[in-house]
């Protein structure tokens, strides 16, 4: 049978070298071997998150890192602004509503990026905002927000207001530089561009954010970031970590380094360009404007019947899994993930399959059209 191809925006395929490293055997988490592993990982992990500050590793999924940012960086009754442009902005909203904080939502139409002028006006209408939360890539719509301009706007409002970014579906697939983009806290997860199984998440804070976390009254235990910083001083973790995943992480970071991290980011951008050109050649409409299109996930539109036909046929006849729309975009889009252990050849495979499926559905022959457009996008 043809090998399966998982093209979802997380979880993503795991390189065999990483699976192999994860099964080399357990080590004690209070051992020198584990301390050495943690020490090896830090500099490489900092490079991927674009920071000189330590990166905390949590043994829990991405949402725990979002919640860690919220409970450590916002105090009781403080005002926060959350940019909500899709399902994961909504996740931040729901986390914030769980705690006694004063939540203000900057709503963005799903499929659009935040408009910086409108965002500035919104901020100026609220006094004493202590933190702004956004996604880098809103996975549910495949939008990349203009982080640099948003970060600049946050600091123009007040230098002390924290800019907190969810990079779960972006880190590892595009370059980050926390300082250059005014990011005080960046969080991410293991199961997307970082080519690992689900189960780890990562939090990096600059000094401003760390000071805020050190002096916070909101009750918390497992997600108290201060415990993790204390343990990190000794290359350790406060609780039993997901040791095998951390072993796999070391391999992932070695692979990214040996590929050249910039080449990895270029490959992601190429896959985006190939897909967008190929899908357009099939007369499938993009949800997101080129300017804000993510290098890690692509969303396209059609009528509900055609989308359902495409998704089923890809899975049943071509062993390719892609994702549907979430919440209000359910039935309106399909999403193809292209992050982590995915390559331009995988884009050609899915586009060739789509040519056949769309040709069947519309009774118009599209053979070669998407492939030609994608190859042109790749080579030009
Ligand atoms: C942007 C973004 N944030 C947060 C999450 C939540 O992460 P998890 O499902 O690992 O808790 C996801 C997961 O898809 C995501 O894409």
């Amino acid at each position: 049978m043809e090998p399966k191809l998982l093209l979802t925006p997380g979880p993503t395929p795991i390189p065999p070298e990483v699976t192999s490293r994860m099964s080399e055997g357990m080590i004690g988490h209070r051992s020198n071997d584990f301390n050495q592993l943690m020490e090896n990982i830090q500099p490489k992990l900092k490079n991927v998150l674009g920071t000189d500050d330590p990166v905390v590793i949590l043994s829990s999924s991405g949402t725990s890192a979002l919640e860690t940012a919220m409970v450590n960086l916002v105090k009781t009754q403080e005002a926060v602004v959350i940019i909500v442009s899709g399902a994961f902005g909504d996740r931040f909203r729901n986390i914030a509503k769980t705690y006694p904080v004063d939540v203000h939502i900057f709503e963005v139409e799903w499929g659009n990026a935040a408009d910086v002028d409108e965002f500035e006006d919104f901020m100026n209408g609220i006094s004493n905002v202590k933190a702004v939360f956004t996604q880098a890539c809103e996975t549910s719509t495949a939008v990349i927000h203009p982080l640099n301009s948003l970060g600049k706007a946050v600091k123009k409002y007040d230098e002390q207001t924290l800019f907190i970014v969810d990079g779960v579906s972006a880190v590892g697939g595009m370059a980050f530089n926390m300082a250059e983009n005014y990011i005080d806290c960046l969080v991410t997860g293991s199961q997307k561009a970082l080519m690992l199984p689900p189960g780890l998440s990562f939090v990096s804070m600059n000094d401003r954010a760390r000071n805020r976390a050190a002096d916070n009254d909101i009750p918390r235990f497992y997600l108290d970031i201060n415990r993790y910083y204390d343990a990190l001083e000794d290359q350790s973790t406060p609780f039993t970590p997901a040791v095998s995943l951390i072993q796999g992480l070391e391999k992932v970071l070695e692979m990214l380094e040996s590929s050249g991290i910039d080449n990895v980011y270029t490959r992601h951008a190429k896959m985006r360009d190939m897909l967008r050109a190929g899908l357009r050649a099939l007369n499938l409409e993009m949800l997101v404007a080129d300017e804000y299109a993510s290098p890690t996930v692509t969303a396209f539109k059609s009528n509900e019947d055609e989308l359902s036909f495409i998704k089923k046929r890809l899975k049943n006849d071509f062993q390719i899994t892609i994702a549907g729309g979430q919440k209000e975009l359910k039935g309106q889009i399909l999403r193809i993930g292209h992050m982590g252990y995915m390559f331009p050849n995988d884009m050609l495979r899915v586009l060739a399959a789509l040519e056949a499926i769309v040709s069947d559905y519309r009774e118009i022959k599209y053979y070669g059209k998407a492939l030609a457009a994608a190859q042109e996008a790749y080579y030009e």
Side-chain angles (χ1 to χ4, degrees):
M1 196 168 105
E2 209 176 355
K4 290 181 183 162
L5 180 58
L6 181 65
L7 293 183
T8 56
T12 60
I14 313 299
E17 302 92 311
V18 174
T19 307
S20 159
R21 179 70 66 91
M22 287 190 297
S23 46
E24 272 180 10
M26 190 49 59
I27 55 172
H29 71 292
R30 301 288 177 230
S31 67
N32 290 338
D33 286 347
F34 184 75
N35 301 145
Q36 189 60 55
L37 175 64
M38 290 288 280
E39 194 176 330
N40 296 347
I41 281 172
Q42 268 303 316
K44 297 185 176 76
L45 196 53
K46 287 179 184 174
N47 192 30
V48 177
L49 275 86
T51 178
D52 294 329
D53 294 309
V55 181
V56 161
I57 304 177
L58 300 168
S59 291
S60 39
S61 85
T63 304
S64 73
L66 270 57
E67 184 158 353
T68 297
M70 189 72 67
V71 292
N72 286 278
L73 298 180
V74 187
K75 297 184 189 174
T76 307
Q77 297 316 336
E78 281 184 348
V80 301
V81 166
I82 300 174
I83 298 177
V84 177
S85 65
F88 295 102
D90 239 3
R91 181 76 48 92
F92 260 145
R93 179 207 317 248
N94 290 332
I95 293 170
K97 285 195 165 163
T98 307
Y99 292 96
V101 300
D102 177 22
V103 188
H104 300 262
I105 303 296
F106 179 71
E107 297 272 2
V108 177
E109 193 182 333
W110 290 34
N112 287 355
D115 179 286
V116 179
D117 292 337
E118 287 174 17
F119 172 73
E120 285 199 53
D121 289 346
F122 183 84
M123 289 289 288
N124 290 333
I126 309 163
S127 55
N128 225 1
V129 175
K130 296 296 187 191
V132 172
F133 293 79
T134 187
Q135 272 58 50
C137 169
E138 173 49 78
T139 325
S140 64
T141 64
V143 158
I144 293 286
H145 288 295
L147 289 185
N148 187 273
S149 314
L150 287 171
K152 209 181 279 175
V154 170
K155 299 302 169 184
K156 192 169 125 195
Y157 172 88
D158 182 345
E159 186 74 23
Q160 295 307 317
T161 301
L162 299 178
F163 185 43
I164 297 159
V165 174
D166 165 2
V168 171
S169 57
V171 171
M174 60 183 248
F176 275 84
N177 183 320
M178 285 182 61
E180 266 178 23
N181 291 312
Y182 312 94
I183 301 172
D184 297 289
C185 173
L186 177 63
V187 306
T188 191
S190 54
Q191 76 274 25
K192 299 187 191 248
L194 292 179
M195 307 189 286
L196 284 165
L200 292 182
S201 58
F202 307 91
V203 182
S204 180
M205 293 183 181
N206 64 12
D207 284 347
R208 184 187 288 118
R210 266 186 82 169
N211 289 338
R212 198 76 69 85
D215 168 38
N216 195 332
D217 58 347
I218 289 198
R220 60 213 193 273
F221 184 81
Y222 193 78
L223 298 184
D224 182 351
I225 194 96
N226 300 300
R227 297 176 195 275
Y228 291 83
Y229 281 123
D230 288 346
L232 210 46
E233 298 270 312
D234 302 320
Q235 303 296 350
S236 186
T237 55
F239 313 109
T240 313
V243 176
S244 320
L245 295 180
I246 297 178
Q247 290 169 311
L249 173 64
E250 185 185 36
K251 183 65 194 175
V252 164
L253 294 168
E254 286 167 9
M255 288 171 70
L256 292 176
E257 198 171 80
S258 72
S259 305
I261 192 82
D262 289 334
N263 296 332
V264 172
Y265 299 146
T266 305
R267 188 183 88 233
H268 281 80
K270 282 265 182 204
M271 290 193 287
R272 171 199 58 206
D273 296 345
M274 290 173 77
L275 263 187
R276 289 173 74 81
L279 292 167
R280 281 181 168 138
L282 300 177
N283 291 329
L284 290 163
E285 199 187 331
M286 299 296 103
L287 176 68
V288 178
D290 288 343
E291 192 182 350
Y292 301 111
S294 171
T296 56
V297 53
T298 292
F300 62 93
K301 299 198 260 185
S302 185
N303 65 66
E304 190 165 1
D305 189 60
E306 184 172 32
L307 292 177
S308 153
F309 184 81
I310 289 175
K311 188 158 182 273
K312 275 197 205 121
R313 286 282 309 273
L314 276 176
K315 175 98 176 109
N316 297 339
D317 298 347
F318 296 90
Q319 333 309 329
I320 300 174
T321 305
I322 66 170
Q326 292 171 286
K327 296 191 175 180
E328 58 187 68
L329 287 174
K330 206 171 163 54
Q332 294 185 39
I333 58 165
L334 289 177
R335 293 173 301 145
I336 302 179
H338 36 95
M339 61 183 117
Y341 196 56
M342 296 180 190
F343 298 89
N345 268 335
D346 298 319
M347 303 305 109
L348 295 179
R349 180 169 157 195
V350 70
L351 287 169
L354 285 169
E355 284 179 354
I357 296 169
V358 171
S359 298
D360 267 4
Y361 183 83
R362 299 186 192 158
E363 297 180 353
I364 301 172
K365 285 199 170 57
Y366 285 97
Y367 305 129
K369 294 214 177 338
L371 291 179
Q375 284 182 308
E376 214 162 288
Y378 181 81
Y379 289 111
E380 305 260 297

